[in-house]
Amino acid sequence: MALTDEELVLAIQKSLSPMESNEMTSLIYRYSRLIRLKSSKLKKSTGIDSDDLFQEGVLGLMNAVRSFVPDKGKFRSFAEVCISNRMKNALIKSA
């Protein structure tokens, strides 16, 4: 049975090298489609390379994993905000 996002995040947070764990790889894989969609939409409106935006989105996901507190809600909602904010900040910095 597959772990939920919240279970994966807790496992990552408890890991000795969290950003290099198998759980983190699984979480990035799960969220790659969402990140790719967001980066493609932003590319169309800004012209910035979608691969750069995708990388920013993955960094946003990593930030979400580091700072997620399970008692405050669902991980997916929190991660989407972190991913979007990271991409938008990258756009602001590149302007």
Side-chain angles (χ1 to χ4, degrees):
M1 187 169 135
L3 296 174
T4 65
D5 290 351
E6 287 78 12
E7 291 169 334
L8 272 175
V9 169
L10 290 174
I12 294 165
Q13 289 175 340
K14 291 177 183 176
S15 175
L16 293 176
S17 46
M19 296 307 143
E20 298 173 12
S21 66
N22 290 335
E23 291 86 4
M24 189 66 206
T25 302
S26 296
L27 200 62
I28 291 171
Y29 181 76
R30 279 188 193 180
Y31 280 81
S32 63
R33 183 169 181 209
L34 170 74
I35 296 169
R36 184 62 64 197
L37 286 172
K38 286 183 177 289
S39 65
S40 293
K41 284 181 185 177
L42 286 173
K43 180 192 186 301
K44 288 178 186 174
S45 64
T46 63
I48 297 203
D49 185 45
S50 63
D51 288 337
D52 292 340
L53 289 170
F54 182 83
Q55 289 177 357
E56 291 295 332
V58 171
L59 292 173
L61 178 61
M62 291 176 164
N63 289 338
V65 168
R66 281 188 209 103
S67 55
F68 179 67
V69 178
D71 299 338
K72 295 197 176 191
K74 292 278 187 188
F75 177 75
R76 184 169 190 86
S77 301
F78 182 67
E80 285 184 29
V81 170
C82 291
I83 291 165
S84 293
N85 287 344
R86 181 73 188 223
M87 288 179 171
K88 288 173 186 175
N89 285 337
L91 291 174
I92 291 168
K93 287 179 182 177
S94 71

Coordinates of all heavy atoms in Angstrom, one line a residue:
M1 N 0.8 -1.2 0.0 CA 0.0 0.0 0.0 C 0.9 1.3 0.0 O 1.8 1.3 0.8 CB -0.9 0.0 1.2 CG -1.9 1.1 1.3 SD -3.1 0.7 2.6 CE -3.2 2.3 3.2
A2 N 0.6 2.2 -0.8 CA 1.3 3.4 -1.0 C 1.1 4.3 0.2 O 0.0 4.4 0.8 CB 1.0 4.1 -2.3
L3 N 2.2 5.0 0.6 CA 2.1 6.0 1.7 C 1.3 7.3 1.2 O 1.4 7.6 0.0 CB 3.5 6.4 2.2 CG 4.3 5.3 2.8 CD1 5.7 5.8 3.1 CD2 3.6 4.7 4.1
T4 N 0.7 7.9 2.1 CA 0.1 9.2 1.8 C 1.2 10.2 1.7 O 2.3 10.0 2.2 CB -1.0 9.6 2.9 OG1 -0.3 9.9 4.1 CG2 -2.1 8.6 3.1
D5 N 0.8 11.4 1.2 CA 1.8 12.5 1.1 C 2.3 12.8 2.5 O 3.5 13.1 2.7 CB 1.2 13.7 0.5 CG 0.9 13.6 -1.0 OD1 1.4 12.6 -1.6 OD2 0.3 14.5 -1.6
E6 N 1.3 12.9 3.5 CA 1.7 13.3 4.8 C 2.7 12.3 5.5 O 3.6 12.6 6.1 CB 0.5 13.4 5.7 CG -0.4 14.7 5.4 CD -1.2 14.6 4.2 OE1 -1.4 13.5 3.6 OE2 -1.7 15.7 3.7
E7 N 2.4 11.0 5.2 CA 3.3 9.9 5.7 C 4.7 10.0 5.1 O 5.7 9.8 5.8 CB 2.7 8.5 5.5 CG 1.5 8.3 6.3 CD 0.7 7.0 5.9 OE1 0.8 6.6 4.7 OE2 0.0 6.4 6.7
L8 N 4.7 10.3 3.8 CA 6.0 10.5 3.1 C 6.8 11.7 3.7 O 8.0 11.6 4.0 CB 5.8 10.7 1.6 CG 5.8 9.5 0.7 CD1 5.4 9.9 -0.7 CD2 7.0 8.7 0.8
V9 N 6.1 12.8 3.9 CA 6.8 14.0 4.4 C 7.3 13.7 5.8 O 8.4 14.1 6.1 CB 5.8 15.2 4.5 CG1 6.4 16.3 5.2 CG2 5.5 15.6 3.0
L10 N 6.5 13.0 6.7 CA 7.0 12.7 8.0 C 8.2 11.8 8.0 O 9.2 12.0 8.7 CB 5.9 12.1 8.9 CG 4.8 13.0 9.3 CD1 3.7 12.2 10.0 CD2 5.3 14.1 10.1
A11 N 8.2 10.8 7.1 CA 9.4 10.0 6.9 C 10.6 10.7 6.4 O 11.7 10.5 6.9 CB 9.1 8.8 5.9
I12 N 10.4 11.7 5.5 CA 11.5 12.5 5.0 C 12.1 13.4 6.1 O 13.3 13.5 6.3 CB 11.0 13.4 3.8 CG1 10.7 12.5 2.6 CG2 12.1 14.4 3.5 CD1 9.9 13.2 1.6
Q13 N 11.2 14.0 6.9 CA 11.6 14.9 8.0 C 12.4 14.1 9.1 O 13.3 14.7 9.7 CB 10.4 15.6 8.6 CG 9.8 16.6 7.8 CD 8.5 17.2 8.3 OE1 7.8 16.6 9.2 NE2 8.1 18.4 7.8
K14 N 12.1 12.8 9.2 CA 12.8 12.0 10.2 C 14.1 11.4 9.7 O 14.9 10.9 10.5 CB 11.9 10.9 10.7 CG 10.8 11.4 11.6 CD 9.9 10.3 12.0 CE 8.7 10.8 12.7 NZ 7.7 9.7 13.1
S15 N 14.3 11.5 8.4 CA 15.5 10.9 7.8 C 16.8 11.7 8.1 O 16.8 12.9 8.4 CB 15.3 10.9 6.3 OG 16.4 10.5 5.6
L16 N 17.9 11.0 8.1 CA 19.2 11.6 8.4 C 19.7 12.5 7.3 O 20.3 13.5 7.5 CB 20.2 10.5 8.7 CG 20.0 9.7 10.0 CD1 21.1 8.6 10.1 CD2 20.0 10.6 11.2
S17 N 19.4 12.1 6.1 CA 19.7 13.0 4.9 C 18.4 13.1 4.1 O 18.2 12.5 3.1 CB 20.8 12.4 4.1 OG 20.6 11.1 3.8
P18 N 17.5 14.0 4.6 CA 16.1 14.1 4.1 C 16.0 14.3 2.6 O 15.2 13.8 1.9 CB 15.5 15.2 4.9 CG 16.6 15.9 5.6 CD 17.7 15.0 5.6
M19 N 16.8 15.2 2.0 CA 16.6 15.6 0.6 C 17.2 14.6 -0.3 O 17.1 14.7 -1.5 CB 17.2 17.0 0.4 CG 16.5 18.1 1.1 SD 14.7 18.0 0.8 CE 14.1 18.5 2.4
E20 N 17.9 13.6 0.2 CA 18.5 12.5 -0.6 C 17.8 11.2 -0.4 O 18.2 10.1 -0.9 CB 20.0 12.4 -0.3 CG 20.7 13.6 -0.6 CD 22.2 13.5 -0.2 OE1 22.6 12.4 0.2 OE2 22.8 14.6 -0.2
S21 N 16.7 11.2 0.3 CA 16.0 9.9 0.6 C 15.1 9.4 -0.5 O 14.7 10.2 -1.4 CB 15.1 10.1 1.9 OG 14.1 11.0 1.6
N22 N 14.8 8.1 -0.5 CA 13.9 7.5 -1.5 C 12.5 8.1 -1.4 O 11.8 8.3 -2.4 CB 13.8 6.0 -1.3 CG 15.1 5.3 -1.7 OD1 15.9 5.8 -2.5 ND2 15.3 4.1 -1.1
E23 N 12.1 8.5 -0.2 CA 10.8 9.1 0.0 C 10.8 10.5 -0.7 O 9.7 10.8 -1.3 CB 10.5 9.3 1.5 CG 10.3 8.0 2.3 CD 11.6 7.3 2.8 OE1 12.7 7.9 2.6 OE2 11.5 6.2 3.3
M24 N 11.8 11.2 -0.6 CA 11.9 12.5 -1.3 C 11.8 12.3 -2.8 O 11.0 13.1 -3.5 CB 13.1 13.3 -0.9 CG 13.1 14.7 -1.4 SD 11.8 15.7 -0.6 CE 11.5 16.9 -1.8
T25 N 12.5 11.3 -3.3 CA 12.4 11.0 -4.8 C 10.9 10.7 -5.1 O 10.4 11.1 -6.2 CB 13.3 9.9 -5.1 OG1 14.7 10.3 -4.7 CG2 13.3 9.5 -6.6
S26 N 10.3 9.9 -4.3 CA 8.9 9.5 -4.6 C 8.0 10.7 -4.6 O 7.1 10.9 -5.4 CB 8.4 8.5 -3.5 OG 9.1 7.3 -3.6
L27 N 8.2 11.6 -3.6 CA 7.4 12.8 -3.5 C 7.6 13.8 -4.7 O 6.6 14.3 -5.3 CB 7.7 13.6 -2.2 CG 6.6 14.5 -1.7 CD1 5.3 13.8 -1.4 CD2 7.1 15.2 -0.5
I28 N 8.8 13.9 -5.1 CA 9.1 14.7 -6.3 C 8.4 14.1 -7.5 O 7.8 14.9 -8.3 CB 10.6 14.9 -6.5 CG1 11.2 15.8 -5.4 CG2 10.9 15.5 -7.9 CD1 12.7 15.8 -5.4
Y29 N 8.5 12.8 -7.6 CA 7.8 12.2 -8.8 C 6.3 12.4 -8.7 O 5.7 12.7 -9.8 CB 8.1 10.6 -8.7 CG 7.5 9.9 -9.9 CD1 8.0 10.0 -11.1 CD2 6.3 9.1 -9.7 CE1 7.4 9.3 -12.2 CE2 5.7 8.5 -10.7 CZ 6.3 8.5 -12.0 OH 5.7 7.9 -13.0
R30 N 5.7 12.3 -7.5 CA 4.3 12.5 -7.4 C 3.9 14.0 -7.8 O 2.8 14.2 -8.3 CB 3.8 12.3 -5.9 CG 3.6 10.9 -5.6 CD 3.0 10.9 -4.2 NE 3.1 9.5 -3.7 CZ 2.6 9.1 -2.5 NH1 2.1 10.0 -1.7 NH2 2.7 7.9 -2.2
Y31 N 4.7 14.9 -7.5 CA 4.4 16.3 -7.7 C 4.9 16.9 -9.0 O 4.7 18.0 -9.4 CB 4.8 17.2 -6.5 CG 3.9 17.1 -5.4 CD1 3.9 16.0 -4.5 CD2 2.9 18.0 -5.2 CE1 3.0 15.9 -3.4 CE2 2.0 17.9 -4.1 CZ 2.1 16.9 -3.3 OH 1.2 16.8 -2.2
S32 N 5.7 16.1 -9.8 CA 6.3 16.5 -11.0 C 5.3 17.0 -12.0 O 5.5 18.0 -12.7 CB 7.2 15.5 -11.6 OG 6.5 14.4 -12.0
R33 N 4.2 16.3 -12.1 CA 3.1 16.8 -13.1 C 2.6 18.1 -12.7 O 2.4 19.0 -13.6 CB 2.0 15.7 -13.2 CG 1.0 16.1 -14.3 CD 0.1 14.9 -14.5 NE -0.8 15.4 -15.6 CZ -2.1 14.9 -15.7 NH1 -2.5 14.0 -14.9 NH2 -2.8 15.3 -16.6
L34 N 2.2 18.3 -11.5 CA 1.7 19.6 -11.0 C 2.7 20.7 -11.2 O 2.4 21.8 -11.7 CB 1.4 19.5 -9.5 CG 1.1 20.8 -8.8 CD1 -0.3 21.3 -9.2 CD2 1.1 20.7 -7.3
I35 N 4.0 20.4 -10.9 CA 5.1 21.4 -11.1 C 5.2 21.8 -12.5 O 5.4 22.9 -12.9 CB 6.4 21.0 -10.4 CG1 6.2 20.8 -8.9 CG2 7.5 21.9 -10.8 CD1 7.4 20.1 -8.2
R36 N 5.2 20.7 -13.4 CA 5.4 20.9 -14.8 C 4.2 21.8 -15.4 O 4.4 22.7 -16.2 CB 5.4 19.6 -15.6 CG 5.7 19.6 -17.0 CD 7.0 20.3 -17.5 NE 8.1 19.5 -17.0 CZ 9.4 20.0 -16.9 NH1 9.6 21.2 -17.3 NH2 10.4 19.2 -16.5
L37 N 3.0 21.5 -15.0 CA 1.8 22.3 -15.4 C 2.0 23.8 -15.0 O 1.7 24.7 -15.8 CB 0.5 21.7 -14.9 CG 0.1 20.4 -15.5 CD1 -1.1 19.9 -14.7 CD2 -0.3 20.6 -16.9
K38 N 2.3 24.0 -13.8 CA 2.5 25.4 -13.3 C 3.6 26.1 -14.0 O 3.5 27.2 -14.4 CB 2.8 25.4 -11.8 CG 1.6 25.1 -10.9 CD 1.9 25.2 -9.4 CE 0.8 25.0 -8.6 NZ -0.2 26.0 -8.6
S39 N 4.7 25.4 -14.3 CA 5.9 26.0 -15.0 C 5.5 26.3 -16.4 O 5.9 27.3 -17.0 CB 7.1 25.2 -14.9 OG 7.0 23.9 -15.6
S40 N 4.7 25.4 -17.1 CA 4.3 25.7 -18.5 C 3.4 26.9 -18.6 O 3.5 27.7 -19.5 CB 3.6 24.4 -19.0 OG 4.5 23.4 -19.1
K41 N 2.5 27.0 -17.6 CA 1.5 28.2 -17.6 C 2.3 29.5 -17.4 O 2.0 30.4 -18.1 CB 0.5 28.0 -16.5 CG -0.6 27.0 -16.8 CD -1.6 27.0 -15.7 CE -2.6 25.9 -16.0 NZ -3.6 25.8 -14.9
L42 N 3.3 29.5 -16.5 CA 4.0 30.7 -16.3 C 4.9 31.0 -17.5 O 5.2 32.2 -17.8 CB 4.9 30.5 -15.0 CG 4.1 30.7 -13.7 CD1 5.0 30.3 -12.5 CD2 3.5 32.1 -13.6
K43 N 5.4 30.0 -18.1 CA 6.3 30.2 -19.3 C 5.5 30.9 -20.4 O 6.0 31.8 -21.0 CB 6.8 28.9 -19.8 CG 7.7 29.0 -21.1 CD 8.0 27.7 -21.7 CE 9.0 27.7 -22.8 NZ 8.7 28.6 -24.0
K44 N 4.3 30.5 -20.6 CA 3.5 31.1 -21.6 C 3.2 32.6 -21.4 O 3.2 33.4 -22.3 CB 2.1 30.4 -21.8 CG 2.2 29.0 -22.4 CD 0.9 28.3 -22.4 CE 1.1 26.9 -22.9 NZ -0.2 26.1 -22.8
S45 N 3.1 32.9 -20.1 CA 2.8 34.3 -19.8 C 4.0 35.2 -19.6 O 3.9 36.4 -19.6 CB 1.9 34.4 -18.6 OG 2.5 33.9 -17.4
T46 N 5.2 34.6 -19.4 CA 6.4 35.3 -19.1 C 7.5 35.1 -20.1 O 8.4 36.0 -20.2 CB 6.9 35.0 -17.7 OG1 7.3 33.6 -17.7 CG2 5.9 35.3 -16.7
G47 N 7.5 34.0 -20.8 CA 8.6 33.7 -21.7 C 9.9 33.1 -21.0 O 10.9 32.8 -21.7
I48 N 9.8 32.9 -19.7 CA 11.0 32.3 -19.0 C 11.0 30.8 -19.3 O 10.0 30.2 -19.4 CB 10.9 32.7 -17.5 CG1 11.0 34.2 -17.4 CG2 12.0 32.0 -16.7 CD1 11.4 34.7 -16.1
D49 N 12.2 30.3 -19.3 CA 12.4 28.8 -19.6 C 11.6 28.0 -18.6 O 11.8 28.2 -17.4 CB 13.9 28.5 -19.6 CG 14.2 27.1 -20.0 OD1 13.6 26.6 -21.0 OD2 15.0 26.4 -19.2
S50 N 10.8 27.1 -19.1 CA 10.0 26.2 -18.2 C 10.9 25.3 -17.4 O 10.5 24.9 -16.3 CB 8.9 25.5 -19.0 OG 9.5 24.6 -19.9
D51 N 12.0 24.9 -17.9 CA 12.9 24.0 -17.1 C 13.5 24.7 -15.8 O 13.5 24.2 -14.8 CB 14.1 23.5 -17.9 CG 13.7 22.5 -18.9 OD1 12.6 21.8 -18.7 OD2 14.4 22.3 -19.9
D52 N 13.8 26.0 -16.0 CA 14.2 26.8 -14.8 C 13.1 26.9 -13.8 O 13.3 26.8 -12.6 CB 14.7 28.2 -15.3 CG 16.0 28.2 -16.1 OD1 16.7 27.1 -16.0 OD2 16.2 29.1 -16.8
L53 N 11.9 27.2 -14.3 CA 10.7 27.3 -13.4 C 10.4 26.0 -12.8 O 10.0 25.9 -11.6 CB 9.5 27.8 -14.2 CG 9.6 29.3 -14.7 CD1 8.4 29.6 -15.6 CD2 9.5 30.2 -13.5
F54 N 10.6 24.9 -13.5 CA 10.4 23.5 -12.9 C 11.4 23.3 -11.8 O 11.0 22.8 -10.7 CB 10.6 22.4 -14.0 CG 10.3 21.1 -13.5 CD1 9.1 20.6 -13.4 CD2 11.4 20.3 -13.0 CE1 8.8 19.3 -12.9 CE2 11.2 19.0 -12.5 CZ 9.9 18.5 -12.5
Q55 N 12.6 23.7 -12.0 CA 13.6 23.5 -10.9 C 13.2 24.4 -9.7 O 13.3 23.9 -8.5 CB 15.0 23.9 -11.4 CG 15.6 22.9 -12.3 CD 16.9 23.3 -12.8 OE1 17.4 24.4 -12.6 NE2 17.5 22.5 -13.6
E56 N 12.7 25.6 -9.9 CA 12.3 26.4 -8.8 C 11.1 25.8 -8.1 O 11.0 25.8 -6.9 CB 11.9 27.8 -9.3 CG 13.0 28.6 -9.8 CD 14.0 29.0 -8.7 OE1 13.6 29.1 -7.5 OE2 15.2 29.2 -9.0
G57 N 10.2 25.1 -8.9 CA 9.1 24.4 -8.3 C 9.5 23.3 -7.4 O 8.9 23.1 -6.3
V58 N 10.5 22.5 -7.8 CA 11.0 21.4 -7.0 C 11.6 22.0 -5.7 O 11.4 21.4 -4.6 CB 12.1 20.6 -7.8 CG1 12.8 19.6 -6.9 CG2 11.4 19.8 -8.9
L59 N 12.3 23.1 -5.8 CA 12.9 23.7 -4.6 C 11.8 24.2 -3.7 O 11.9 24.1 -2.5 CB 13.8 24.9 -5.0 CG 15.1 24.5 -5.7 CD1 15.8 25.8 -6.2 CD2 16.0 23.7 -4.8
G60 N 10.7 24.7 -4.3 CA 9.5 25.0 -3.5 C 8.9 23.8 -2.8 O 8.5 23.9 -1.6
L61 N 8.9 22.7 -3.4 CA 8.4 21.5 -2.8 C 9.3 21.0 -1.7 O 8.8 20.7 -0.6 CB 8.3 20.3 -3.9 CG 7.9 19.0 -3.4 CD1 6.5 19.0 -2.8 CD2 8.0 17.9 -4.5
M62 N 10.6 21.2 -1.9 CA 11.6 20.8 -0.8 C 11.4 21.8 0.4 O 11.4 21.3 1.6 CB 13.0 20.9 -1.3 CG 13.4 19.9 -2.3 SD 15.0 20.1 -2.9 CE 15.4 18.5 -3.6
N63 N 11.1 23.0 0.2 CA 10.8 24.0 1.3 C 9.6 23.6 2.0 O 9.5 23.7 3.2 CB 10.7 25.4 0.7 CG 12.0 26.0 0.3 OD1 13.1 25.6 0.7 ND2 11.9 27.0 -0.6
A64 N 8.6 23.1 1.2 CA 7.3 22.7 1.8 C 7.6 21.5 2.8 O 7.0 21.4 3.9 CB 6.3 22.3 0.8
V65 N 8.4 20.6 2.3 CA 8.7 19.4 3.1 C 9.4 19.8 4.4 O 9.0 19.3 5.5 CB 9.6 18.4 2.4 CG1 10.2 17.3 3.3 CG2 8.8 17.7 1.2
R66 N 10.3 20.7 4.3 CA 11.1 21.2 5.5 C 10.2 21.9 6.6 O 10.3 21.7 7.7 CB 12.2 22.1 5.1 CG 13.4 21.5 4.6 CD 14.5 22.5 4.4 NE 15.4 22.1 3.4 CZ 15.4 22.6 2.1 NH1 14.6 23.6 1.8 NH2 16.2 22.1 1.2
S67 N 9.2 22.6 6.1 CA 8.4 23.5 7.0 C 7.0 23.0 7.3 O 6.3 23.6 8.0 CB 8.4 24.9 6.5 OG 7.9 25.0 5.2
F68 N 6.6 21.8 6.7 CA 5.2 21.3 6.9 C 5.0 20.9 8.4 O 5.8 20.2 9.0 CB 5.0 20.1 6.0 CG 3.6 19.6 6.1 CD1 2.5 20.3 5.8 CD2 3.5 18.3 6.6 CE1 1.2 19.7 5.9 CE2 2.2 17.7 6.8 CZ 1.1 18.5 6.4
V69 N 3.9 21.3 8.9 CA 3.4 20.9 10.2 C 2.1 20.2 10.0 O 1.1 20.8 9.6 CB 3.2 22.1 11.2 CG1 2.7 21.7 12.5 CG2 4.5 22.9 11.3
P70 N 2.0 18.9 10.3 CA 0.8 18.1 10.0 C -0.5 18.6 10.6 O -1.6 18.5 10.1 CB 1.1 16.7 10.5 CG 2.6 16.7 10.5 CD 3.1 18.1 10.8
D71 N -0.4 19.2 11.8 CA -1.6 19.7 12.5 C -2.2 20.9 11.9 O -3.4 21.2 12.2 CB -1.2 20.1 14.0 CG -0.6 18.9 14.8 OD1 -0.9 17.8 14.4 OD2 0.1 19.2 15.7
K72 N -1.6 21.5 10.9 CA -2.1 22.7 10.3 C -2.8 22.5 9.0 O -3.2 23.4 8.3 CB -1.0 23.7 10.1 CG -0.4 24.2 11.4 CD 0.3 25.4 11.3 CE 0.8 25.9 12.7 NZ 1.3 27.2 12.6
G73 N -3.0 21.2 8.5 CA -3.7 21.0 7.3 C -3.1 19.9 6.4 O -2.1 19.2 6.8
K74 N -3.6 19.8 5.2 CA -3.1 18.8 4.2 C -1.8 19.3 3.6 O -1.6 20.5 3.3 CB -4.1 18.6 3.1 CG -5.4 17.9 3.6 CD -5.2 16.5 3.6 CE -6.5 15.7 3.9 NZ -6.2 14.3 4.1
F75 N -0.9 18.4 3.3 CA 0.4 18.7 2.7 C 0.2 19.2 1.3 O 0.8 20.2 0.9 CB 1.3 17.5 2.7 CG 2.6 17.8 2.0 CD1 3.6 18.6 2.6 CD2 2.9 17.4 0.7 CE1 4.7 18.9 2.0 CE2 4.0 17.7 0.1 CZ 5.0 18.5 0.7
R76 N -0.7 18.6 0.5 CA -0.9 19.0 -0.9 C -1.2 20.5 -1.0 O -0.6 21.2 -1.8 CB -1.9 18.2 -1.6 CG -2.0 18.5 -3.0 CD -2.9 17.5 -3.8 NE -2.8 17.7 -5.2 CZ -1.8 17.2 -6.0 NH1 -0.9 16.5 -5.5 NH2 -1.8 17.5 -7.3
S77 N -2.1 21.0 -0.2 CA -2.5 22.4 -0.2 C -1.3 23.3 0.1 O -1.1 24.3 -0.6 CB -3.6 22.7 0.7 OG -4.7 21.9 0.4
F78 N -0.6 22.9 1.1 CA 0.6 23.7 1.6 C 1.7 23.7 0.5 O 2.3 24.7 0.2 CB 1.1 23.1 2.9 CG 2.3 23.8 3.4 CD1 2.2 25.1 3.9 CD2 3.5 23.2 3.5 CE1 3.3 25.8 4.4 CE2 4.6 23.9 4.0 CZ 4.5 25.2 4.5
A79 N 1.9 22.5 -0.1 CA 2.9 22.3 -1.1 C 2.6 23.2 -2.3 O 3.5 23.8 -2.9 CB 3.1 20.9 -1.5
E80 N 1.4 23.2 -2.8 CA 1.0 24.0 -3.9 C 1.3 25.5 -3.7 O 1.8 26.1 -4.7 CB -0.5 23.8 -4.3 CG -0.8 22.5 -4.9 CD -2.2 22.3 -5.3 OE1 -2.9 23.3 -5.6 OE2 -2.7 21.2 -5.3
V81 N 1.0 26.0 -2.5 CA 1.3 27.4 -2.3 C 2.8 27.6 -2.3 O 3.3 28.6 -2.9 CB 0.7 27.8 -0.9 CG1 1.2 29.2 -0.5 CG2 -0.8 27.8 -1.0
C82 N 3.6 26.7 -1.6 CA 5.1 26.9 -1.6 C 5.7 26.8 -3.0 O 6.6 27.6 -3.3 CB 5.7 25.8 -0.7 SG 5.3 26.0 1.0
I83 N 5.2 25.9 -3.8 CA 5.7 25.8 -5.2 C 5.4 27.0 -6.0 O 6.2 27.6 -6.7 CB 5.0 24.5 -5.9 CG1 5.6 23.2 -5.2 CG2 5.3 24.5 -7.4 CD1 4.8 22.0 -5.5
S84 N 4.1 27.5 -5.9 CA 3.8 28.7 -6.7 C 4.6 29.9 -6.2 O 5.0 30.7 -7.0 CB 2.3 29.0 -6.5 OG 1.5 28.0 -7.1
N85 N 4.7 30.1 -4.9 CA 5.4 31.2 -4.4 C 6.9 31.2 -4.8 O 7.5 32.2 -5.2 CB 5.4 31.2 -2.8 CG 4.0 31.7 -2.4 OD1 3.2 32.2 -3.1 ND2 3.7 31.4 -1.1
R86 N 7.5 30.0 -4.8 CA 8.9 29.9 -5.2 C 9.1 30.3 -6.7 O 10.0 31.0 -7.1 CB 9.4 28.5 -5.0 CG 10.9 28.2 -5.3 CD 11.8 28.9 -4.4 NE 13.2 28.8 -4.8 CZ 14.2 28.6 -4.0 NH1 14.0 28.3 -2.8 NH2 15.4 28.5 -4.5
M87 N 8.1 29.8 -7.5 CA 8.2 30.2 -9.0 C 8.0 31.7 -9.2 O 8.7 32.3 -10.0 CB 7.1 29.4 -9.7 CG 7.5 27.9 -9.9 SD 6.1 27.1 -10.8 CE 6.8 25.5 -11.0
K88 N 7.0 32.2 -8.5 CA 6.7 33.7 -8.6 C 7.9 34.5 -8.2 O 8.2 35.5 -8.8 CB 5.4 34.0 -7.9 CG 4.2 33.5 -8.5 CD 3.0 33.7 -7.7 CE 1.8 33.0 -8.3 NZ 0.6 33.1 -7.5
N89 N 8.5 34.1 -7.1 CA 9.7 34.8 -6.6 C 10.8 34.8 -7.6 O 11.6 35.8 -7.8 CB 10.2 34.3 -5.3 CG 9.3 34.7 -4.1 OD1 8.6 35.7 -4.2 ND2 9.3 33.9 -3.0
A90 N 11.0 33.6 -8.3 CA 12.0 33.5 -9.3 C 11.7 34.5 -10.5 O 12.6 35.1 -11.1 CB 12.1 32.1 -9.8
L91 N 10.4 34.6 -10.8 CA 10.1 35.5 -11.9 C 10.3 37.0 -11.5 O 10.8 37.7 -12.3 CB 8.5 35.4 -12.2 CG 8.1 34.0 -12.9 CD1 6.6 34.0 -13.0 CD2 8.8 33.9 -14.2
I92 N 10.1 37.3 -10.3 CA 10.3 38.7 -9.8 C 11.8 39.0 -9.8 O 12.2 40.0 -10.3 CB 9.8 38.9 -8.4 CG1 8.2 38.8 -8.4 CG2 10.3 40.1 -7.8 CD1 7.6 38.7 -7.1
K93 N 12.6 38.0 -9.4 CA 14.1 38.2 -9.4 C 14.7 38.3 -10.8 O 15.7 39.0 -11.0 CB 14.8 37.1 -8.6 CG 14.6 37.1 -7.2 CD 15.3 36.0 -6.5 CE 15.0 36.0 -5.0 NZ 15.6 34.9 -4.3
S94 N 14.0 37.7 -11.8 CA 14.6 37.7 -13.1 C 14.2 38.9 -13.9 O 14.7 39.2 -15.0 CB 14.1 36.4 -13.9 OG 12.8 36.5 -14.2
A95 N 13.2 39.6 -13.4 CA 12.7 40.8 -14.1 C 13.6 42.0 -14.0 O 14.5 42.1 -13.2 CB 11.3 41.2 -13.5

